[in-house]
Amino acid sequence: MKYQTPAALALALTAVASIAFAQPETKLKVALTADIRSSNPGVNRDDNTDSVMLNVVEGLVGYDDGGDVRPLLAREVTQSDDGLTYTFALRDGLTFHNGSTLTADDVLWSWKRYMDPKTEWRCLAEFDGRNGLQVVSVAAPNPKTFVMKINHPSALFLNTLARTDCGMTGIVHKDSLKADGSWDKPIGTGPYEFTDWKRGRSVTLTRFKEYKSPEGAAADGYVGKKDPHVDLVELEVIPDPATIKLAVASHSIDVAQITSTDVSELKSDPNIVTLTSPDSSKHAILFRTEDPVVGDVKFRQAVAAALDYNQLVDVASDGLSTPNNSAVFPGSVYFDGVQKSGLDANLDNARKLLSESSYQGQPIKIIANKRSPMPSFQVALVTQAMLQAIGVNVEIEVLEWATQLDRYNSGNYQMMSFSYSARLDPALSYEQFTGDKGKQPRKVWDNPKALELLEQSRAVSDAAARRALFDDLHTTMLSDVPLIILYNGLTVWAHAKDVQGFTPWEGKMRLWNVELAQ
Amino acid sequence: MLRFIVRRLLLALPTMLISAAAVFFLIRLIPGDPASLMLGDQVDASSLADLRQRMGLDRALPTQFVLWVVQLLQGDFGMSIRTDEPVLRLVFDRFIVSAGIVFVAVAVASLIAVPAGMLAAWKQDSKLDIGLVGAATVLLSIPSFWLGLMLLYVFGYKFGWLPVVGYVSFSEDAGMAALYLILPIATLVLHEVGILVRMARASTLEVLRLDYITHARAKGLSETAVLCRHAFRNAFGPTWTLIGLVLGNLLGGIAVVETVFTIPGLGRLLVDSIFGRDYPVIQGCLLFIVFVYVMVNLVVDLLYPLFDPRVTEE
């Protein structure tokens, strides 16, 4: 009995000490410009949804900063000599958010779910043979090994698995589905757990304490060091840019994507950090080559020579970006000296080319939209002014985005100011606009040589050989001018000064490695 | 009374049917395809055809319409193309949010505007009248998004008295919910006060010129008694009708205020759905708004005799 009092005292002191030294829960408030479409990765999605969900789920492989594909849930990926069989050795100690250990059977289950047409996976056509490539068999020979066999050698197989719009082919646990087989919520393996979704209002993610980061000293695309530090992330839906600016300025929000026009104002606040994050999306002027005037290569070359790219990009990006006439983004391992060579502004040459073309002064219509933060209208406006300088009569037709997308898909336009979504591999980037116009009217380039080069680049895996193919494609594109790629997209962000380690990538927020200064 | 209500509800049916048909066909006249919007700028023809088939968009338009009407008659408003949620639940959940704000805003605006309008009429051509009418004109001329942003700037950012972003429902935390709703309600109140003051003033002026008011004054009644007991009931009738119209309008669309103040209401849902070509939600929202409009005006009509007994006699 005599020891009871000191023991109780010790217990009490321990309790007090544990309370005193307990770390307070850290919370990061992030603005979302729109609500997520669903919590089902790669299924009902848009860029905004991918940005959130890729903090929750991970695939077997993921992109690094340069657009190369690296193992993610896999420890290593080996390819058979015939290039048809891929073996994924899974990393040790990986667990789902519900505590279950990740095994090859889980990968197999996830893959079968994606390939079931009822799932409505966005990338089903990329793997079921409709677009050429087909996964002919999958197997889980042991808990740590997953094997996939494809129908022909492909340089893009792993790339497509890693694509962000495919939800990185994220592996989810069976319990992500309800008992009736419908989608419930993602139980993934990513650094953050999907905790709550108040539709139209907010999404809450919590730190996955058992998360095991891939190897790496720093963040590297969707691979590399991925340590979640913040306990709670609240993503608030704030659709109005002016409200976002006020929310950042008043420190109601810690991190937000802002418009480029707000940078200078927010920059003046010493407690706010602004940063720009370039990505592989492309802003371009498209030509409909079936059009009698625009179809004349001399006319297109005249337009290309009439544009002052530095000035145009300066205006369209509020001075935040620089021109790039290549379909390969500057961070890519394939962006070499040839890709850096672009189109030159030369008004005399432009006038000469125009006089040699079939253009007779008739009005040319360029379609644009005012969807924020896309620079479609600004690009059209500056283009109009620059083409007027060589005597081309340009009219701008402003359409709402859905209407413009309709016109783009049907090829119903003369010229169009358009932004292509991000594609990291050059073959996928060229594929966005190269192809048979008869089958897919959205394509603008069907030069047989280009089609052949692109086909080869899809099959060849050797980096040097691919680089040569992409260089040839670039040179041919600059001469054909089926479109003029102006510059790569960038997103502009602002965050509170006490937020450290926030590095968005490809326009998406990476919530790992982010810390809040105490 | 019951016959009157039933007759009005039956009369609403053709309105609803015509609205349904108009909404269905007009929204489809706008170019843009929900399936291609969903799949983005890089979509192969087979995936697009698959999705269109799953959405039922590959069927002939009259077939789609008939199927939709049959669904409606069974109480099924369909599912959202964008979010896979039942439309009726989605619309109702968002309506509750908007309705809470709108009812409070209209009630407060009426409580301010009606006495102010009557006062202005009573003191016609005085400095008070000019001031009130001038203020009302300024308020109704200010765009609500600008007014909302200015209130956010002053009370949220400069003074830091009220939250800048976010929304809390009353079921979660009533105190916090009230705090979050002060600025959006104030924005609506300031805007609607302008409209209602002018109407209250005009109808009061009309009544004050009538013989029975002169008679009341001649009897020696005080001005307060003349205004409150005799003028108010007759002058309030037209304002009451306007309140009904304002209420119906606002219940259907405060998208701008909801966007500025990040409120997940019906107006924002409708605008987002239009941009996303979410046909079932657009149809559901608009049909629901028509229904609410009809119901609000029915209630206004039913309560009208309280202020003007002549209506009952008619």
Side-chain angles (χ1 to χ4, degrees), chain A residues 152-229:
Chain A
H152 60 68
S154 168
L156 295 178
F157 173 59
L158 292 179
N159 245 294
T160 312
L161 284 179
R163 262 169 52 183
T164 54
D165 60 317
C166 300
M168 218 197 279
T169 321
I171 307 303
V172 293
H173 190 266
K174 287 170 192 166
D175 290 350
S176 302
L177 304 188
K178 292 177 189 162
D180 63 3
S182 62
W183 181 255
D184 185 16
K185 66 171 192 175
I187 299 172
T189 57
Y192 282 90
E193 293 179 48
F194 189 87
T195 314
D196 189 28
W197 179 20
K198 293 188 175 77
R199 288 169 193 255
R201 285 170 57 183
S202 63
V203 177
T204 307
L205 307 179
T206 47
R207 182 165 72 95
F208 180 35
K209 293 184 178 116
E210 311 305 317
Y211 182 72
K212 199 173 174 189
S213 169
E215 285 181 6
D220 186 8
Y222 275 108
V223 294
K225 184 185 170 198
K226 294 174 77 172
D227 288 333
H229 296 294

Side-chain angles (χ1 to χ4, degrees), chain A residues 44-298:
Chain A
N44 187 0
R45 45 71 59 191
D46 54 13
D47 274 349
N48 195 46
T49 309
D50 298 340
S51 181
V52 175
M53 298 317 301
L54 294 181
N55 288 283
V56 177
V57 298
E58 293 181 325
L60 292 169
V61 289
Y63 282 117
D64 69 7
D65 277 340
D68 258 2
V69 181
R70 299 276 167 84
L72 182 51
L73 290 178
R75 178 169 41 80
E76 67 172 356
V77 184
T78 51
Q79 199 178 352
S80 63
D81 291 340
D82 61 3
L84 297 179
T85 306
Y86 289 80
T87 304
F88 301 85
L90 301 181
R91 283 196 281 138
D92 293 322
L94 294 173
T95 52
F96 285 106
H97 296 151
N98 62 0
S100 304
T101 304
L102 172 84
T103 67
D105 282 337
D106 295 308
V107 181
L108 183 65
W109 180 85
S110 269
W111 178 257
K112 285 183 173 168
R113 176 183 160 267
Y114 280 126
M115 293 307 286
D116 183 347
K118 283 183 198 151
T119 303
E120 300 180 10
W121 187 32
R122 172 183 168 77
C123 297
L124 178 63
E126 307 291 343
F127 296 104
D128 68 0
R130 271 182 284 171
N131 290 341
L133 179 68
Q134 187 179 11
V135 174
V136 289
S137 70
V138 285
N142 65 59
K144 288 281 164 205
T145 311
F146 183 65
V147 183
M148 300 177 92
K149 194 169 180 187
I150 56 176
N151 60 340
H152 60 68
S154 168
L156 295 178
F157 173 59
L158 292 179
N159 245 294
T160 312
L161 284 179
R163 262 169 52 183
T164 54
D165 60 317
C166 300
M168 218 197 279
T169 321
I171 307 303
V172 293
H173 190 266
K174 287 170 192 166
D175 290 350
S176 302
L177 304 188
K178 292 177 189 162
D180 63 3
S182 62
W183 181 255
D184 185 16
K185 66 171 192 175
I187 299 172
T189 57
Y192 282 90
E193 293 179 48
F194 189 87
T195 314
D196 189 28
W197 179 20
K198 293 188 175 77
R199 288 169 193 255
R201 285 170 57 183
S202 63
V203 177
T204 307
L205 307 179
T206 47
R207 182 165 72 95
F208 180 35
K209 293 184 178 116
E210 311 305 317
Y211 182 72
K212 199 173 174 189
S213 169
E215 285 181 6
D220 186 8
Y222 275 108
V223 294
K225 184 185 170 198
K226 294 174 77 172
D227 288 333
H229 296 294
V230 181
D231 295 313
L232 198 68
V233 181
E234 269 190 15
L235 302 132
E236 294 259 3
V237 180
I238 312 176
D240 184 46
T243 309
I244 288 182
K245 188 166 80 172
L246 275 177
V248 173
S250 63
H251 302 283
S252 308
I253 285 287
D254 298 311
V255 178
Q257 190 181 336
I258 57 169
T259 59
S260 53
T261 46
D262 290 335
V263 171
S264 56
E265 194 179 333
L266 289 172
K267 225 178 190 173
S268 61
D269 187 331
N271 293 315
I272 294 172
V273 176
T274 59
L275 55 102
T276 54
S277 168
D279 56 59
S280 61
S281 64
K282 301 177 285 290
H283 303 305
I285 297 168
L286 315 187
F287 297 102
R288 199 67 219 164
T289 50
E290 285 85 351
D291 184 85
V293 180
V294 175
D296 184 344
V297 70
K298 292 273 185 192

Side-chain angles (χ1 to χ4, degrees), chain B residues 81-102:
Chain B
I81 286 173
R82 293 189 314 144
T83 63
D84 276 339
E85 286 177 282
V87 170
L88 194 58
R89 197 185 74 199
L90 193 60
V91 169
F92 191 72
D93 286 351
R94 299 297 190 95
F95 173 74
I96 294 293
V97 174
S98 298
I101 297 165
V102 167

